[in-house]
Amino acid sequence: ALAARDYRMAEDKSTILDRAQKYLQKGYLDKASLEYKKVVEKDPQDVTQRLRLGDLYVKLGKKDDAVKEYGEVAKIYSQKGFYLKAIAVYKQILKLDETITDVHFKLAELYGKHRLIADAMAEYGFLVSFFEKKNKSDDVLDLLKKMLEMDQNNIGTRLKLADIWHKKGFKKEAYEEYDRAVKKMIADRNIEKAEKVLSNLYEYEPNKIKAKGN
């Protein structure tokens, strides 16, 4: 009985797909999308058909629906450990709408898992700029911490983190980060940059920097 039911389900799916293909051949994209939607409802894990449905939505100008389908596909790939495939689909979503912050977060996380540090940092960098424009300093702070966990030697990230600590009034945390950045610059023989940072700090609090230098 189970085998018969499974056969009927498989037959139903193939029948629907045949109908969808016929609609596609005739150029009836809207009708074809409805058939693919039936297939996806019947078998949500079928990433091939979900991708086809997403592609159809793009052609039909239904961006939100396409993003939703692609998002589900990327989630399935991630759950199954197909991270590179998930990355490719998330990048496809960003071509439709690069402002979806959730996708940038997921991409950064996936890049991090694959030790694709430069790519992960680029995603976090986009998010930092996005949240800076919205004056969400707490979100920026969290992102910069994640970026430093990923790349301890990134002086630009460390200085940006120090600046935000300073603006928020956390002087101790700010000066610790400035100190680490300056030491790294000196170690890398970027003396001019180190002097510039120290000069800016002197303008902030001359007594503190003078005391530190003595």
Side-chain angles (χ1 to χ4, degrees), residues 27 77 110 114 119 145 163 175 179 190:
Y77 280 144
L110 287 170
H114 275 271
D119 292 313
K145 287 178 190 174
D163 287 343
Y175 286 113
D179 187 53
N190 290 327

Side-chain angles (χ1 to χ4, degrees), residues 56-81:
L56 275 174
Y57 283 144
V58 172
K59 288 176 182 174
L60 289 164
K62 297 180 177 180
K63 187 182 80 172
D64 292 343
D65 290 326
V67 166
K68 185 182 174 185
E69 281 307 317
Y70 289 148
E72 289 300 318
V73 170
K75 194 190 295 180
I76 291 167
Y77 280 144
S78 292
Q79 288 168 350
K80 291 184 175 180

Side-chain angles (χ1 to χ4, degrees), residues 77-156:
Y77 280 144
S78 292
Q79 288 168 350
K80 291 184 175 180
F82 301 142
Y83 299 126
L84 292 177
K85 286 185 176 182
I87 286 170
V89 178
Y90 280 131
K91 285 169 79 173
Q92 214 167 331
I93 292 173
L94 290 180
K95 284 180 184 175
L96 297 174
D97 186 354
E98 68 166 11
T99 67
I100 305 174
T101 55
D102 190 46
V103 172
H104 285 284
F105 273 114
K106 283 170 180 170
L107 265 178
E109 189 182 329
L110 287 170
Y111 283 138
K113 282 181 181 176
H114 275 271
R115 303 305 297 161
L116 298 167
I117 305 303
D119 292 313
M121 293 290 276
E123 294 301 328
Y124 282 131
F126 174 91
L127 289 165
V128 165
S129 299
F130 181 86
F131 286 121
E132 275 181 334
K133 286 171 188 171
K134 295 188 175 293
N135 294 315
K136 293 189 174 181
S137 59
D138 288 341
D139 289 312
V140 172
L141 202 62
D142 289 339
L143 285 164
L144 291 171
K145 287 178 190 174
K146 284 183 181 179
M147 290 171 79
L148 273 182
E149 283 173 18
M150 198 165 280
D151 184 2
Q152 291 282 326
N153 294 321
N154 194 304
I155 293 170

Side-chain angles (χ1 to χ4, degrees), residues 29-83:
L29 302 188
D30 212 0
K31 287 183 177 180
S33 71
L34 291 173
E35 297 303 325
Y36 279 114
K37 190 176 179 183
K38 289 177 190 174
V39 172
V40 167
E41 286 168 356
K42 201 173 272 291
D43 185 5
Q45 296 293 307
D46 189 335
V47 289
T48 302
Q49 309 313 329
R50 292 202 92 136
L51 283 171
R52 283 179 181 162
L53 180 56
D55 293 345
L56 275 174
Y57 283 144
V58 172
K59 288 176 182 174
L60 289 164
K62 297 180 177 180
K63 187 182 80 172
D64 292 343
D65 290 326
V67 166
K68 185 182 174 185
E69 281 307 317
Y70 289 148
E72 289 300 318
V73 170
K75 194 190 295 180
I76 291 167
Y77 280 144
S78 292
Q79 288 168 350
K80 291 184 175 180
F82 301 142
Y83 299 126

